[in-house]
């Protein structure tokens, strides 16, 4: 009798919740209809935004006097994988599996697909054999198939032309293009979720696989930081065309408007993409790729493991002021910089205004007591040929002024 009574109560509760959800959705739609403005002409691409409930070919513009005109609708949901190029494929593969603790899920003669234990999709890192270290591409998943199509329309309306690819291991059709800074970016919707074999299945139903505690224990891919000749140009392009949120930026101490670093995000994190000023003549370079660990103690343990395995720590452990993430930087065998981070702020403010930092405020070093090493300015592929750089009136990246000293 008790079981029947509980079942009846549960059914009635679910029905009441569904009715409440329908009523709430109707109120939200009425609110949106009152606050959004009339449809825009296609000639004004910079202010064209789609209603949340609209079809992919419907667009509206905010009234020009409204502050929300600067708040484009997010089209991308998350960073899903990065491709890293390595001239020492075997050593890089060993490092990522034996030291970092990633697992190989698929491999060809010159490419390995690896995953962190907490990745919900099949993999998050692709290692590709190449002549030089660098970023092959970075990939984001859209919020929906319609948002993917809208993102492509925005990209091409901005003057950038990419191409559709039929897919790769673990994901379907995707659009690949070069962003203004020269970086290869891929956006997609269709993607495989990881299905753990029985021996890796977790007892916790929300985990994609069990936690086994190997290596540095990264839970998942966190962000990618790239180098660009014009930080704000790239920030505004990703904001206006793909809906990234512009969170904060860093200027020089004596010239705060000269921007050397900025962070943007597709979600509530402080960033899943960042830009650092690049004085070299080489476009599309990488500064680092970051992975998330659950605690600061995991960072200290990782530092211990790296040193005991014979790998130097480049910077940290410490805390960044921007985003308030704990950090640890080190290099893999081909020279590419990797970061482990933990903690960090979560920002849900819909009309967030980007914050300007100065180095003296602790933008890079929260405790303001340790200078960043000059080596952190090095990007990949390296730009260390002085004559080549001098032809364009520039200096090699190892000679750039360090704003954080």
């Amino acid at each position: 009798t008790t079981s029947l009574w509980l079942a009846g109560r549960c059914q009635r509760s679910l029905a009441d919740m569904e009715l409440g959800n329908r009523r709430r959705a109707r109120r939200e739609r009425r609110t949106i209809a009152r606050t959004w403005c009339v449809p825009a002409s296609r000639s004004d691409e910079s202010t064209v935004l789609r209603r949340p409930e609209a079809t992919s070919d419907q667009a509206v513009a905010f009234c020009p006097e409204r502050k929300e005109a600067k708040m484009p609708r997010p089209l991308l949901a998350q960073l899903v994988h990065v491709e890293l190029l390595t001239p020492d494929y075997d050593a890089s593969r060993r490092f990522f599996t034996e030291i970092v603790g990633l697992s190989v899920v698929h491999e060809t003669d010159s490419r390995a697909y690896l995953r962190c234990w907490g990745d919900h999709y099949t993999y998050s890192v692709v290692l590709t054999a190449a002549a030089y270290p660098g970023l092959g591409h970075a990939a984001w998943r859209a919020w929906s198939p319609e948002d993917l199509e809208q993102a492509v329309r925005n990209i091409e309306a901005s003057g950038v032309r990419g191409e559709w690819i039929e897919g790769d291991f673990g994901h379907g059709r995707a659009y690949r293009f070069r962003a203004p800074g020269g970086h290869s970016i891929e956006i997609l919707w269709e993607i495989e979720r990881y299905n753990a074999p029985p021996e890796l299945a977790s007892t916790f139903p929300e985990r994609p696989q069990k936690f086994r505690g190997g290596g540095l224990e990264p839970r998942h891919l966190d962000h990618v930081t790239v180098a660009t000749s014009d930080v704000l140009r790239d920030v505004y392009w990703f904001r206006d065309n793909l809906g990234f949120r512009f969170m904060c930026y860093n200027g020089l101490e004596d010239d705060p408007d000269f921007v050397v670093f900025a962070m943007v995000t597709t979600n509530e994190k402080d960033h899943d993409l960042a830009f650092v000023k690049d004085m070299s003549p080489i476009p599309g370079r990488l500064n680092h790729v970051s992975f998330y660990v659950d605690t600061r103690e995991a960072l200290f343990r990782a530092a211990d493991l790296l040193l005991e395995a014979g790998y130097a720590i480049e910077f940290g452990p410490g805390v960044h002021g921007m985003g308030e993430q704990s950090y640890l930087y080190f290099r893999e065998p081909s020279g590419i910089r990797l970061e482990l981070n933990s903690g960090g702020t979560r920002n849900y403010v819909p009309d967030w205004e980007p914050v300007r930092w100065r180095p003296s405020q602790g933008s890079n070093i929260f405790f303001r007591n340790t200078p960043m090493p000059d080596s952190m300015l090095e990007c990949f592929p390296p730009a260390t040929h002085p004559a080549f750089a001098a032809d364009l009136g520039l200096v090699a990246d190892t000679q750039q002024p360090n704003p954080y000293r």
Side-chain angles (χ1 to χ4, degrees):
T1 303
T2 302
S3 299
L4 291 173
W5 179 82
L6 286 173
R9 286 295 301 268
C10 289
Q11 288 176 349
R12 287 194 293 275
S13 297
L14 289 172
D16 291 342
M17 289 172 61
E18 180 62 26
L19 178 61
N21 289 337
R22 290 198 298 269
R23 288 172 175 170
R24 186 159 48 251
R26 286 197 295 269
R27 288 196 299 271
E28 290 173 352
R29 286 195 293 269
R30 287 195 295 269
T31 300
I32 291 170
R34 288 194 297 269
T35 56
W36 285 57
C37 302
V38 298
S41 66
R42 294 187 180 272
S43 61
D44 187 9
E45 296 288 346
S46 64
T47 58
V48 171
L49 293 174
R50 186 163 52 79
R51 293 181 190 261
E53 72 275 21
T55 59
S56 60
D57 59 348
Q58 291 175 317
V60 297
F62 288 113
C63 297
E65 67 273 10
R66 288 179 63 87
K67 193 174 186 179
E68 288 88 343
K70 299 179 181 178
M71 303 296 166
R73 181 181 181 278
L75 297 173
L76 305 183
Q78 63 181 134
L79 175 68
V80 291
H81 70 253
V82 293
E83 180 190 20
L84 300 179
L85 308 178
T86 170
D88 195 343
Y89 176 81
D90 291 337
S92 292
R93 186 189 184 284
R94 284 194 301 271
F95 183 85
F96 273 96
T97 55
E98 298 175 11
I99 303 298
V100 181
L102 273 59
S103 302
V104 176
V105 292
H106 181 67
E107 189 167 17
T108 65
D109 291 340
S110 60
R111 180 172 291 182
Y113 298 79
L114 304 100
R115 61 174 282 103
C116 304
W117 71 268
D119 287 331
H120 287 281
Y121 305 126
T122 305
Y123 61 91
S124 58
V125 174
V126 183
L127 282 181
T128 300
Y132 53 83
L135 178 68
H137 71 275
W140 274 262
R141 192 184 187 202
W143 279 104
S144 69
E146 295 77 18
D147 286 333
L148 174 59
E149 299 292 338
Q150 183 65 55
V152 172
R153 286 195 292 272
N154 290 354
I155 290 167
E156 295 186 345
S158 77
V160 174
R161 289 290 184 273
E163 63 177 351
W164 287 100
I165 62 173
E166 288 308 311
D168 193 1
F169 172 76
H171 71 79
R173 184 169 177 258
Y175 188 79
R176 187 175 291 185
F177 62 94
R178 287 204 176 272
H183 306 94
S184 181
I185 305 295
E186 191 173 278
I187 55 176
L188 55 93
W189 164 250
E190 297 174 351
I191 191 168
E192 289 182 1
R193 294 181 184 272
Y194 181 65
N195 185 20
E199 66 273 16
L200 293 179
S202 174
T203 58
F204 299 100
E206 288 191 20
R207 287 184 174 179
Q209 75 171 64
K210 68 172 60 174
F211 172 63
R212 296 184 296 170
L216 306 184
E217 302 177 350
R219 179 183 279 263
H220 56 73
L221 177 66
D222 189 79
H223 68 262
V224 58
T225 295
V226 297
T228 177
S229 61
D230 191 332
V231 172
L232 288 182
R233 174 203 62 196
D234 286 27
V235 164
Y236 294 141
W237 190 90
F238 276 85
R239 182 198 67 180
D240 296 341
N241 294 291
L242 298 175
F244 280 73
R245 302 168 66 206
F246 183 12
M247 304 306 291
C248 54
Y249 61 101
N250 204 157
L252 296 177
E253 189 65 39
D254 55 355
D255 187 4
D257 292 324
F258 185 82
V259 179
V260 295
F261 181 75
M263 302 197 308
V264 299
T265 186
T266 58
N267 47 58
E268 83 285 356
K269 295 191 305 183
D270 54 272
H271 67 304
D272 56 5
L273 175 62
F275 303 96
V276 62
K277 179 70 175 177
D278 192 353
M279 301 295 288
S280 85
I282 301 177
R285 297 205 298 159
L286 171 71
N287 184 267
H288 70 269
V289 169
S290 183
F291 299 89
Y292 180 83
V293 294
D294 287 337
T295 65
R296 287 186 180 181
E297 287 72 20
L299 286 182
F300 300 144
R301 175 184 177 277
D304 191 336
L305 290 173
L306 286 166
L307 292 173
E308 291 284 23
Y311 295 95
I313 294 171
E314 184 176 21
F315 187 32
V319 181
H320 292 309
M322 300 172 74
E324 298 189 32
Q325 287 183 313
S326 299
Y327 62 82
L328 176 69
Y329 293 92
F330 51 97
R331 305 286 187 100
E332 57 86 47
S334 74
I336 291 176
R337 179 180 300 106
L338 304 178
E339 179 193 15
L340 292 183
N341 71 61
S342 185
T345 58
R346 296 292 182 265
N347 187 313
Y348 302 91
V349 180
D351 56 350
W352 179 257
E353 294 288 339
V355 174
R356 182 175 70 184
W357 286 76
R358 296 196 315 273
S360 63
Q361 295 172 313
S363 57
N364 195 25
I365 300 97
F366 183 90
F367 301 108
R368 309 173 194 175
N369 63 347
T370 305
M372 184 185 78
D374 293 345
S375 65
M376 288 289 293
L377 297 173
E378 296 171 6
C379 298
F380 315 96
T384 54
H385 196 303
F388 179 44
D391 288 342
L392 295 176
L394 302 170
V395 295
D397 60 357
T398 53
Q399 301 172 24
Q400 291 185 49
N402 185 346
Y404 306 108
R405 288 191 66 83

